[in-house]
Amino acid sequence: MLAGDRSRRRALFCLLLCLVALPASWLIFSELDRLWPEIATLEGPTFMAATTLLGAAMALGPLAAAIGFLLAVWFGVDSVYQPRRHPSPALDRFIVGAGLFVWFAPAATAAAMAIQAVLRGRIHFVRPPRDYLLATDPIAFWQGVGFWLIMGALFAFLAWRYWRPRLIPNAASED
């Protein structure tokens, strides 16, 4: 089996893991108001076992979905740039497009947050809950905008370092 075929199978397995874990997690969280009263009536070791299983399912389900998705993208992109038995140019273009979107989305989001803050004259942070207004606290406002620009540059740099040898193969050999 060629390396590209192996990566494509890994990507498919990870995507299936994501597609199974995501609805299962959603089901657990949506039925929590029904599940918890039944568990709360238990006592002793059965209560401990049930709460441990519920907590593990609530923690591991979303984690498995997120990791499965990211690994599916990772292995999928790798499969495009490795030799395979059966070429699939349409699927390869879709995988590369999805990979570019996933890799550069954090950078675009950070840049959008900075642009939105400048246009509104207000920047909001969730934790700790803070709002900085350009009119009343310009130093903190520009520090917040700078934070989003620095984070966007970091995310863009990391995405570019990953994609550069794939998109421009000759440039990678120059380094």
Side-chain angles (χ1 to χ4, degrees), residues 23-100:
S25 298
W26 178 80
L27 183 65
I28 288 172
F29 279 97
S30 67
E31 295 293 321
L32 193 58
D33 59 342
R34 188 186 61 77
L35 290 172
W36 182 249
E38 293 178 18
I39 293 173
T41 60
L42 302 174
E43 295 179 5
T46 55
F47 174 76
M48 289 299 292
T51 55
T52 301
L53 287 173
L54 179 63
M58 290 174 64
L60 296 177
L63 189 62
I67 290 173
F69 175 73
L70 292 175
L71 286 177
V73 172
W74 183 277
F75 288 128
V77 168
D78 277 349
S79 75
V80 170
Y81 295 100
Q82 293 174 343
R84 292 187 320 271
R85 289 180 198 241
H86 306 289
S88 55
L91 182 59
D92 290 351
R93 282 193 292 274
F94 174 77
I95 290 172
V96 168
L100 282 167

